[in-house]
Amino acid sequence: MNHRVMFSDADADRVGQEAYGLSWPGKARAADQAGEPATGSLAPREDKSLDFQGARHGLIEGDNLAVLRHLRAGYGGRVKMIYIDPPYNTGGAFQYPDNFRDSAAEHRLRAGDGADPEGRYHARWLSMMYPRLLLARELLREDGVLFVSIDDHEVHGLRMMLDEIFGSRNFFAMFPWQSRTSRQNDTDLCVQHEYVLGYARRRRDGPRRLKRDNEARWRQAPGFAAFPEPVDSGRYSNPDNDPRGPWKADPFDAPNVRPKLTYAIRNPATGEEFWPPPGRCWRTGEARFAALRDDGRILFGRSGRARPQLKVFLNEKRAFGEVAATWLDGATYGTASAGTRELQALFDGESPFQYPKPTALLRFLLRLATGPDDLVLDFFAGSGSTGHAVMAQNQADGGRRRCLLVQLPEPTGDPRWPTLVDLTAERLRRAAGALGSDEGFRFWRHTREPPDAADPWSWLAPLGLPLDARLQPVTVNGALAHRVRHGEQTWLLYAGAELDEAMLNGLLSAGADVLVLHRALLDRRPLAAWGAAGPTVRIVE
């Protein structure tokens, strides 16, 4: 990487022209990887699932780049929130690869003899992340968001990469997360924080703050705006026994200078006149102020001698919440140690995964970005903290969020869960049991083999159907098919080995909008030879 003059790939051959952006050896190839077609198939594994038939969540074993290509057909523009906790490229030894650094010789081979040696520490990590993030953006809804956990090793390059992919205007937060509260004394500085970067597919222009007077517009406006946090009732009290309930005192001034909201307010006890602070105005005009004062809503501090304040009641604020803050302290949102303790509670005191994220942190992100029926994706699933958090948040607010997790089967060395994805599945089972949740998951394995022609479940991904689709067996003229509802359409999947004229005519007249057949069934007699009218016919290769 050249940290002084950086060329985009498109401009690399334009001598004398400079472009703002991030470049590294291998970037063009990494971009090409995102556009490659899906290969192989996602094969169902009912034996590794929890309530396969009724499950709303999914766990996919496989390389996440290959899996994301498969998800593009069925989930493009449908995911509300993506959270990932990728390798940080620290060079440490974990249960997953975390060293994406080239040797000096490898870097010279990739980038040439005159390349900046600094690039060898970052280029391969950037090339790993780039195609995955390009695909992630394709999967997000217009109001969808991406959260990425990261630390100081790669946050600089990641910010520039995400600015390029999403557009810098769609960056909305860089949350510092207090990952530890203890003091480490083996070096001159103790790093106690990591980051969570937040990018929207499309950041909303306005309105962003949910209020009583804009609720209808706020809920219908396009693009992403953060949901407010629940009101902290502990900040409200009722020292004067106001019949309207608990309240707190807020300053009566507001940002900006507006002439109609700038006037003198007289303290009735002292006669002192107050004006808005420099650069600010009052919250309301004079007539509205007088009405609030007559309603007992204006205070002048505990002593009655201070600046004007507004009495804000808990019942008024509860429906619209409070603005979330970007500082994520460990006491409120959990630390790395808290994540470990959660895992130990599920695994009889053991911690079979290093540094899992605490569910309190992930549940905050879920509250910030998702509604009760939204779809969540994590394609660096690790121990399954995101799936655990989704189940816990659903239980807390009655939601029906669905979660897709993707994890590479890295070996663990533990025969109880031989690979990391086996551990992910075991955590989901144990978390559901501990929560008393009936939310199961479907286990899928990415395989190099084509879809099994006799198994309609293996057809879901290539047909662009969601992996949580419900298949209802139906028999039509002796043909066993499976009915599935997708959007506004009814699909009929036929995966049998035989298909005669009576069977086909029955399937064509079974009341489906789309009939799906396997091409091998039509080799002897093309579909057009029957000349039957009916639903749209789709063929699975």
Side-chain angles (χ1 to χ4, degrees), residues 454-494:
D455 182 4
W457 295 103
S458 68
W459 294 12
L460 296 182
L463 287 167
L465 295 172
L467 296 181
D468 61 344
R470 302 292 191 266
L471 300 190
Q472 176 190 2
V474 294
T475 302
V476 181
N477 284 11
L480 175 62
H482 291 80
R483 192 183 301 274
V484 57
R485 188 76 176 163
H486 179 52
E488 299 300 317
Q489 292 183 313
T490 299
W491 292 46
L492 201 59
L493 312 183
Y494 178 69

Side-chain angles (χ1 to χ4, degrees), residues 335-345 350-351 353-356 358:
T335 60
S337 295
T340 297
R341 289 193 295 272
E342 283 186 301
L343 209 54
Q344 290 172 330
E350 295 183 65
S351 181
F353 185 82
Q354 297 167 295
Y355 307 117

Side-chain angles (χ1 to χ4, degrees), residues 439-459:
E439 297 180 24
F441 63 91
R442 292 179 179 176
F443 192 106
W444 306 83
R445 173 171 291 158
H446 178 251
T447 172
R448 295 182 180 181
E449 302 299 319
D452 182 354
D455 182 4
W457 295 103
S458 68
W459 294 12

